[in-house]
Amino acid sequence: MRVKKQKRHRRAVRFYTACFGFREPFKVLCDGTFVHHLIANRITPADTALANILGATVKLFTTRCVLAELKSLGASYRETLNAANNLIMARCDHENRKSAVDCITEVIGENNSEHFFVATQDADLRRSLQKIPGVPAIYALRNALFLEQPSSFQRQFAQSAEEERLHMTDMEYNMLRLRKKRKLSDDKEGDSSDAQEEEDDVSHVINTNVKRNGSDVKDKVRFKRKRAKGPNPLSVKKKKKSADTNDTTSGKETKHADGTVRSRKKRKRSRKTTVVEGSA
């Protein structure tokens, strides 16, 4: 049974984080009835107990109107008042004290912009919060804490908001149309600039093809032809020197008086083998 409860809580938390933008650490707004129930049933520390059901770290808040209401209840709620004084104060801006229900309702507002979880034991307050989109409610039963599941109104509101995000608004449509028109105009300007550059190149070629006799008569337009370039010298193998060239270069060169150069080749003399008498 405990595992099912944790799954329900995790599912509800994912719904509020995905559809309404709740982020860690979660902010929990507590009223006097909830704080009193925690003190009476010894559910301490309260932030740890709330973090267990929400699956993330929490920050506990209350309002000055809630503290004033607890103070007016007398000595029986003194311990609850001391515990509530340790919580973070949420801004309510009420000069005159209001009831805790009215104060919390005004702090939440129409869309819960501060992303508060509301912890209360007041059933009427929880029912009224179900009609406000994006307001999760927490309550306690004896020594266990529970997170209410999202109401049908909240689910329907999230679904309609998601469908609206899938379609463009009128403002977005107008912005897209203006952007497309601006892009087309930029393309036309680019084409005209390219044509102007081509005309400048042609005029430059015409000006260079003036006759050399000094007259202003111009020849026909002559464009530069692309000529085949030679091979890459790094990719060409070096030529091997032949044996004949080595022999000619190895010979001695003699310079005559008239300035002519004559090269001599070395003669290869064959040595005759002498036969020693008596060897046979």
Side-chain angles (χ1 to χ4, degrees):
M1 192 70 179
R2 187 176 179 181
V3 176
K4 291 183 179 179
K5 184 180 76 172
Q6 290 178 352
K7 286 184 178 180
R8 288 199 303 270
H9 290 167
R10 286 198 297 267
R11 195 180 300 114
V13 171
R14 283 198 300 268
F15 171 78
Y16 288 110
T17 54
C19 299
F20 296 100
F22 282 67
R23 295 291 179 267
E24 300 180 15
F26 296 133
K27 296 187 289 185
V28 182
L29 183 60
C30 306
D31 68 346
T33 60
F34 185 78
V35 177
H36 182 70
H37 185 89
L38 295 179
I39 298 299
N41 291 275
R42 302 300 175 187
I43 304 176
T44 55
D47 53 353
T48 304
L50 288 168
N52 290 335
I53 68 169
L54 298 180
T57 56
V58 297
K59 291 183 179 181
L60 305 183
F61 290 80
T62 190
T63 62
R64 290 184 298 174
C65 296
V66 172
L67 295 178
E69 188 177 65
L70 289 174
K71 189 175 182 179
S72 64
L73 294 175
S76 58
Y77 284 83
R78 183 174 298 172
E79 187 177 0
T80 304
L81 178 61
N82 294 333
N85 280 322
N86 295 327
L87 304 182
I88 304 172
M89 290 295 154
R91 185 176 180 180
C92 62
D93 294 334
H94 294 146
E95 296 180 359
N96 298 325
R97 181 176 70 87
K98 290 188 175 184
S99 64
V101 175
D102 295 338
C103 179
I104 290 175
T105 303
E106 291 187 10
V107 169
I108 294 300
E110 296 180 356
N111 54 1
N112 192 14
S113 59
E114 294 294 331
H115 300 103
F116 279 120
F117 286 79
V118 178
T120 179
Q121 295 297 105
D122 193 341
D124 295 334
L125 178 59
R126 293 204 305 269
R127 280 193 293 270
S128 64
L129 292 176
Q130 289 180 353
K131 299 177 182 178
I132 302 174
V135 185
I138 300 173
Y139 65 97
L141 290 177
R142 294 184 182 180
N143 59 350
L145 301 178
F146 294 90
L147 174 63
E148 281 191 348
Q149 296 300 308
S151 62
S152 59
F153 172 78
Q154 292 175 346
R155 292 184 183 277
Q156 187 177 1
F157 181 86
Q159 185 176 0
S160 61
E162 185 177 0
E163 290 177 355
E164 288 180 0
R165 286 195 296 269
L166 293 175
H167 302 285
M168 287 191 301
T169 60
D170 295 337
M171 183 179 68
E172 292 174 345
Y173 179 75
N174 293 330
M175 290 175 62
L176 182 63
R177 189 174 60 182
L178 290 174
R179 185 178 179 183
K180 187 175 181 180
K181 189 181 296 183
R182 191 181 299 113
K183 186 177 181 181
L184 291 174
S185 62
D186 293 341
D187 292 342
K188 290 181 180 178
E189 290 178 359
D191 295 339
S192 61
S193 61
D194 293 339
Q196 184 65 30
E197 289 178 359
E198 291 179 358
E199 290 179 359
D200 295 339
D201 294 338
V202 171
S203 62
H204 176 70
V205 173
I206 292 173
N207 293 330
T208 55
N209 291 329
V210 181
K211 288 187 177 181
R212 292 184 180 180
N213 55 7
S215 63
D216 294 335
V217 180
K218 300 175 182 178
D219 296 334
K220 294 182 180 180
V221 179
R222 295 178 183 177
F223 295 98
K224 294 182 180 179
R225 293 182 180 180
K226 293 184 179 180
R227 296 181 180 179
K229 297 181 180 179
N232 189 356
L234 299 177
S235 63
V236 178
K237 291 183 179 181
K238 294 182 179 179
K239 294 182 180 180
K240 293 182 179 180
K241 295 182 179 180
S242 60
D244 298 336
T245 57
N246 292 334
D247 294 341
T248 56
T249 55
S250 61
K252 294 182 179 180
E253 295 180 353
T254 56
K255 191 173 183 181
H256 295 277
D258 55 356
T260 59
V261 178
R262 183 179 179 184
S263 61
R264 290 183 179 180
K265 294 183 180 180
K266 287 185 178 181
R267 291 182 179 180
K268 292 183 181 181
R269 295 181 180 180
S270 60
R271 294 181 181 180
K272 295 181 180 180
T273 57
T274 57
V275 180
V276 181
E277 294 181 355
S279 60

